[in-house]
Amino acid sequence: MASPGLSNRNNGKRLGITEPISLGGPTEYDVIKTRELEKYLQDAGLYESQEEAVSREEVLGRLDQIVKIWVKTISRAKGLNEQLVHEANAKIFTFGSYRLGVHGPGADIDTLCVGPRHATREEDFFGELQRMLSEMPEVTELHPVPDAHVPVMNFKFSGVSIDLLYAKLSLWVIPEDLDISQDSILQNADEQTVRSLNGCRVTDQILRLVPSIQNFRTTLRCMRLWAKRRGVYSNVAGFLGGINWALLVARICQLYPNALPNMLVSRFFRVYTQWRWPNPVMLCAIEEGSLGLQVWDPRRNPKDKYHLMPIITPAYPSMNSSYNVSSSTLRIMLEEFQRGNEICEAMEANKADWDTLFESYDFFEAYKNYLQIDISAENADDFRKWKGWVQSRLRQLTLKIERHTYDMLQCHPHPGDFSDKSRPFRSSYFMGLQRKQGVPVTEGEQFDIRATVEEFKQSVNRYTLLERGMEIRVSHVKRRNIPNFVFPGEVRPLRPSKVTWGSRRSSELKVSGDAQLDKLCEGKTDLDGSDGGQKRKLVDDTVETDSRYAKSLHLCSGEVHAASPPISNISSCSTKCESTDANKKVDDSIAVSLEKIENAADIPYQNGQIEVSSRCNPPNDSLPAAANTSSSKDAEKMALEKNMACPYVSHQALPELDELEDDIEYRHQVKDFSGNMKSSQMEPSEESVSVSAPVNSSNGAGPSTDSYDGGLEELEPAELMVPSSNGTPPEPVAQKKSIIRLNFTSLAKAAGKSS
């Protein structure tokens, strides 16, 4: 049943593949909070000035005139008669953030030039048109990339950044009123044209499939800002890019068609915290089409089965826009969704505000260990090419490390790069490293990723346009040794003193945990894991609970019945009570053991799925209000379950890496994200394994002898126990501080002696 508002705009048609979750309209609270959000976005500088908007329109008009002159010029040069020359036409379309209406000051404009069948890409677009642009004084920084997956020309026109694609249609004449949303324009089109047209077709389809464009735009601006602040905005790094966030927001708009941006933001986090990936997010049904182009379908296409976070484009041919997502980046995004959901719930209770939601993620305080990838070249042109190539391959390093360490060593890539102003033509990328939570570890065990890093560097150095001076260096750096040029003003800040949401939550839970321990030590206490209906999720030294699975813990002299988390989220659950003296054994009065934990195979999650349930405390004003809130959320959860019922889910185990790397569009790998592994992989080795990264490589005289001795670095202590492969409870062990060490040395040292 469609809402009255939708009936006016969409002729009574339902938007989306399912019924909305809620048709409820905004409350006075939603109106107030939406005004606050809009002001916040204004103050954050997300809107361009009227002068800049006019300038962009003028640039687009001028560009459209140029391509019209260009197509007539090449038509005459090819010997076409005067009538065909007179009728010859080309047209400029926009897509991306500019077409969606969510671009900010200084943002580039994604544009598409559509030309006739006789205007070729190689000779005419990257030939004559490139020459014409290069001779214009208003055009600067012209960089053609004809060999890209989607060929593009990048340049600035009167100071406005332009990314120009080209699509050659099978038409002799391009009509001025051309509708590129029609599938017929794909007839006889080459693959590069289909890919180039896809951006425009998807963008236009999104705008057709949302109930309110204005609410969609405000919500999308909010989510884009949030994703950038939290470090999860980058398709290249394995997170999500602009089109991915647009599709996710559009789906929320369909599920809550009458909601204002305040509620849409809140529901965004609530829905995607509970979403069971790899169930796909789709705005409309996938159409087979009549042109025989391949569409996303894991039931028929082998590579589609390994996608962890499918977000499907709505225009034919439908494809997964988020195939870059890996198990590590998915885990990070789900943690951020959970954080956002908790903050939105706190905002409803006036315990948080928009500033809290948009707090920047302090990447260089989050980990103790980092990989630093330095790249350099001899001149600006080589550096631009080399940087683009290395950046496109960095995701491979994350995937290789995950695979070669059986997901035990997790990577968090920073989405951006950093430059030392004193050293031109150089950039640095960083990846945070941490051992997977809750896995067994032997004292002194180390990860050896020397071969992994070397394999990655060899793949990077296979660049077809490699020039002398293009170099890549990979090294380990500790948090305290992070170079100053990554910080604002190149000044290392003091250790964070301000109170963040994470620190507040940790403090609150610590106080709560201490109070519970006091009660537990007095006698037997039962905990159902619900905590009044509120889920508590902490990554490191906290307790995670879920009321669906049960295990028993013995703390002090009392027995505690606590809930066990999903295996897909964490392999073991323990309560840590560490002495202030790191060398002192844990006091015998606090013994922790796992008496029962369910076999991973008994947990009804699909392979590859992660479920993070979202439950919040009902308002304390009155019991009826609490009951209404609980009932409403239960109804929403049931509706969401129906939305996730999809015939396309068919996630399978990891294929061989080489098989996937054969395809340029799917050069990635995935792991079984359920947390299950073969017992042989789970058994810790008795031998000490070093982690050494060869630190320098170039196409010159071979590997450099420059060394970087990172020494030994300690990661967080291991969880006490993990479930055994057969589901039987492990024997209790004394709580001992287990250590995993990272030892990075140079390739030269590694070659000279055993690590």
Side-chain angles (χ1 to χ4, degrees):
M1 179 179 177
S3 69
L6 288 180
S7 299
N8 293 334
R9 173 177 168 161
N10 300 290
N11 298 321
K13 290 183 179 180
R14 181 188 69 199
L15 294 176
I17 59 175
T18 64
E19 293 290 340
I21 290 179
S22 171
L23 294 174
T27 63
E28 184 178 351
Y29 170 83
D30 290 322
V31 174
I32 294 173
K33 297 301 288 185
T34 295
R35 287 174 182 165
E36 291 179 3
L37 175 60
E38 291 171 344
K39 184 179 185 304
Y40 189 97
L41 299 179
Q42 286 277 3
D43 294 342
L46 297 190
Y47 296 88
E48 66 180 356
S49 65
Q50 183 63 31
E51 293 77 9
E52 187 174 358
V54 171
S55 175
R56 288 176 183 271
E57 291 292 336
E58 292 175 350
V59 165
L60 289 173
R62 181 79 177 100
L63 187 59
D64 191 62
Q65 293 175 356
I66 291 171
V67 297
K68 291 182 186 324
I69 296 173
W70 160 73
V71 77
K72 292 182 184 299
T73 301
I74 62 171
S75 297
R76 185 173 288 109
K78 291 177 184 289
L80 274 64
N81 61 48
E82 283 303 315
Q83 181 179 352
L84 289 177
V85 171
H86 178 74
E87 294 176 348
N89 190 33
K91 187 171 173 58
I92 291 292
F93 293 88
T94 61
F95 62 100
S97 63
Y98 184 82
R99 177 70 181 94
L100 290 173
V102 295
H103 61 287
D108 58 2
I109 305 179
D110 295 313
T111 57
L112 171 71
C113 173
V114 176
R117 62 188 303 169
H118 59 276
T120 65
R121 176 178 291 103
E122 294 78 10
E123 296 179 2
D124 298 325
F125 181 76
F126 285 107
E128 179 63 20
L129 181 58
Q130 178 184 332
R131 185 194 62 79
M132 290 174 60
L133 292 172
S134 66
E135 294 176 353
M136 295 180 177
E138 59 263 54
V139 175
T140 58
E141 300 179 27
L142 177 61
H143 300 301
V145 192
D147 56 344
H149 188 58
V150 181
V152 61
M153 270 199 289
N154 305 312
F155 56 92
K156 286 188 176 181
F157 198 109
S158 299
V160 177
S161 296
I162 301 289
D163 294 339
L164 181 62
L165 311 183
Y166 181 66
K168 184 187 73 169
L169 304 187
S170 59
L171 304 173
W172 282 105
V173 177
I174 302 299
E176 196 62 28
D177 59 351
L178 177 69
D179 182 4
I180 60 174
S181 66
Q182 299 297 317
D183 293 349
S184 59
I185 71 164
L186 301 176
Q187 189 77 42
N188 300 322
D190 57 58
E191 290 185 9
Q192 292 173 320
T193 289
V194 172
R195 288 194 289 264
S196 298
L197 285 166
N198 188 58
C200 288
R201 288 165 53 81
V202 168
T203 303
D204 289 349
Q205 191 71 346
I206 290 174
L207 294 176
R208 293 189 185 99
L209 290 173
V210 294
S212 168
I213 291 179
Q214 184 56 48
N215 289 340
F216 164 75
R217 285 173 171 166
T218 302
T219 307
L220 181 54
R221 283 186 185 274
C222 171
M223 296 313 305
R224 284 163 57 97
L225 175 63
W226 173 85
K228 291 174 182 178
R229 293 271 181 94
R230 301 305 298 172
V232 291
Y233 190 99
S234 173
N235 184 277
V236 174
F239 296 107
L240 301 181
I243 189 63
N244 310 125
W245 292 109
L247 291 169
L248 290 182
V249 169
R251 184 62 181 135
I252 298 302
C253 291
Q254 290 181 340
L255 295 176
Y256 300 89
N258 298 320
L260 289 181
N262 167 70
M263 182 178 177
L264 292 172
V265 170
S266 171
R267 295 307 182 265
F268 179 97
F269 291 116
R270 179 181 297 182
V271 167
Y272 293 123
T273 292
Q274 300 180 63
W275 196 269
R276 291 199 310 273
W277 306 101
N279 284 288
V281 172
M282 301 186 296
L283 300 187
C284 59
I286 295 177
E287 297 180 2
E288 293 295 331
S290 59
L291 303 179
L293 299 175
Q294 180 175 298
V295 298
W296 185 84
D297 189 346
R299 300 169 300 182
R300 292 184 296 181
N301 307 323
K303 288 183 174 65
D304 294 347
K305 298 177 183 179
Y306 308 113
H307 296 168
L308 292 178
M309 194 181 191
I311 303 172
I312 311 304
T313 56
Y316 176 77
S318 295
M319 58 189 71
N320 177 24
S321 64
S322 54
Y323 62 85
N324 277 355
V325 173
S326 70
S327 58
S328 283
T329 53
L330 176 59
R331 170 185 56 84
I332 292 164
M333 286 188 286
L334 290 180
E335 291 172 359
E336 288 298 329
F337 290 163
Q338 178 68 22
R339 172 189 176 274
N341 187 53
E342 292 174 353
I343 292 176
C344 286
E345 291 175 350
M347 288 174 66
E348 294 176 3
N350 291 322
K351 295 182 179 179
D353 54 20
W354 292 114
D355 282 322
T356 310
L357 181 66
F358 291 109
E359 281 177 356
S360 295
Y361 182 75
D362 198 346
F363 180 81
F364 292 107
E365 284 293 333
Y367 300 94
K368 293 183 178 179
N369 298 275
Y370 296 85
L371 278 185
Q372 179 174 338
I373 301 97
D374 300 311
I375 63 171
S376 60
E378 292 186 350
N379 56 67
D381 190 53
D382 284 353
F383 179 69
R384 178 185 56 82
K385 296 176 182 177
W386 183 233
K387 180 179 179 182
W389 168 251
V390 173
Q391 189 177 31
S392 72
R393 301 297 298 173
L394 282 176
R395 186 172 54 90
Q396 287 299 314
L397 180 57
T398 300
L399 295 169
K400 290 177 186 294
I401 290 175
E402 289 175 356
R403 181 173 188 264
H404 294 170
T405 64
Y406 306 109
D407 270 345
M408 297 300 177
L409 185 61
Q410 296 176 331
C411 301
H412 183 170
H414 191 286
D417 67 285
F418 300 87
S419 299
D420 186 348
K421 295 179 180 179
S422 64
R423 308 177 71 184
F425 314 133
R426 294 174 182 266
S427 275
S428 298
Y429 297 87
F430 292 86
M431 291 184 181
L433 298 175
Q434 71 175 9
R435 182 181 37 77
K436 183 178 181 180
Q437 298 296 315
V439 299
V441 61
T442 301
E443 182 77 20
E445 181 185 5
Q446 298 171 340
F447 292 107
D448 186 347
I449 60 171
R450 286 176 295 181
T452 305
V453 171
E454 185 62 26
E455 179 183 326
F456 163 73
K457 288 163 62 178
Q458 288 176 358
S459 71
V460 169
N461 283 324
R462 286 197 290 266
Y463 182 43
T464 57
L465 301 179
L466 194 67
E467 299 288 346
R468 184 172 184 82
M470 292 181 176
E471 298 181 356
I472 180 170
R473 170 190 170 99
V474 181
S475 57
H476 165 241
V477 58
K478 301 176 184 179
R479 178 169 58 198
R480 62 178 176 271
N481 295 326
I482 292 291
N484 289 340
F485 63 76
V486 307
F487 301 108
E490 298 189 357
V491 177
R492 180 184 297 273
L494 299 175
R495 293 300 296 271
S497 57
K498 71 174 184 178
V499 179
T500 64
W501 173 257
S503 62
R504 286 197 298 270
R505 294 284 294 156
S506 298
S507 177
E508 291 172 3
L509 287 170
K510 184 179 186 302
V511 173
S512 175
D514 290 343
Q516 287 189 357
L517 279 176
D518 291 340
K519 294 181 180 179
L520 294 175
C521 291
E522 295 174 0
K524 181 183 291 187
T525 306
D526 290 334
L527 300 178
D528 64 0
S530 62
D531 190 26
Q534 177 162 357
K535 167 117 180 195
R536 299 172 299 171
K537 185 178 188 306
L538 292 178
V539 177
D540 293 319
D541 301 329
T542 60
V543 181
E544 248 186 75
T545 61
D546 191 309
S547 60
R548 290 166 296 184
Y549 312 109
K551 70 180 178 184
S552 298
L553 292 178
H554 284 302
L555 279 140
C556 309
S557 59
E559 183 178 355
V560 185
H561 300 288
S564 167
I567 297 300
S568 60
N569 286 345
I570 189 168
S571 297
S572 69
C573 181
S574 66
T575 303
K576 300 181 183 179
C577 303
E578 295 188 4
S579 169
T580 55
D581 184 354
N583 298 318
K584 184 178 179 180
K585 292 185 178 180
V586 178
D587 191 274
D588 293 336
S589 65
I590 303 180
V592 183
S593 69
L594 295 177
E595 289 192 341
K596 180 180 179 182
I597 186 164
E598 302 194 25
N599 193 316
D602 298 330
I603 296 180
Y605 285 167
Q606 297 183 30
N607 185 23
Q609 290 182 353
I610 291 181
E611 180 171 317
V612 184
S613 62
S614 170
R615 298 187 295 270
C616 67
N617 282 327
N620 296 324
D621 297 340
S622 64
L623 289 178
N628 290 338
T629 302
S630 177
S631 176
S632 174
K633 291 188 176 181
D634 288 342
E636 284 192 24
K637 190 170 184 178
M638 291 179 63
L640 182 57
E641 290 293 330
K642 294 180 180 179
N643 275 273
M644 289 188 288
C646 175
Y648 293 99
V649 177
S650 179
H651 195 272
Q652 294 190 358
L654 175 68
E656 288 299 319
L657 179 63
D658 294 339
E659 175 187 344
L660 290 183
E661 288 190 333
D662 288 339
D663 190 323
I664 187 172
E665 187 173 354
Y666 298 99
R667 292 175 303 185
H668 74 296
Q669 64 191 19
V670 296
K671 293 295 290 183
D672 175 358
F673 209 51
S674 63
N676 302 327
M677 290 188 180
K678 295 180 180 178
S679 58
S680 62
Q681 297 171 353
M682 294 291 289
E683 294 174 0
S685 170
E686 295 180 359
E687 299 178 356
S688 175
V689 185
S690 67
V691 176
S692 297
V695 296
N696 196 32
S697 176
S698 76
N699 62 309
S704 169
T705 57
D706 293 344
S707 65
Y708 181 93
D709 187 1
L712 298 177
E713 175 64 0
E714 199 173 288
L715 291 183
E716 295 301 319
E719 298 288 350
L720 294 179
M721 298 183 182
V722 296
S724 61
S725 59
N726 60 4
T728 58
E731 293 295 326
V733 296
Q735 187 170 357
K736 187 175 183 179
K737 187 175 182 181
S738 300
I739 298 174
I740 274 192
R741 298 178 183 275
L742 297 179
N743 180 25
F744 289 76
T745 58
S746 70
L747 178 60
K749 288 185 178 181
K753 62 180 181 179
S754 171
S755 53

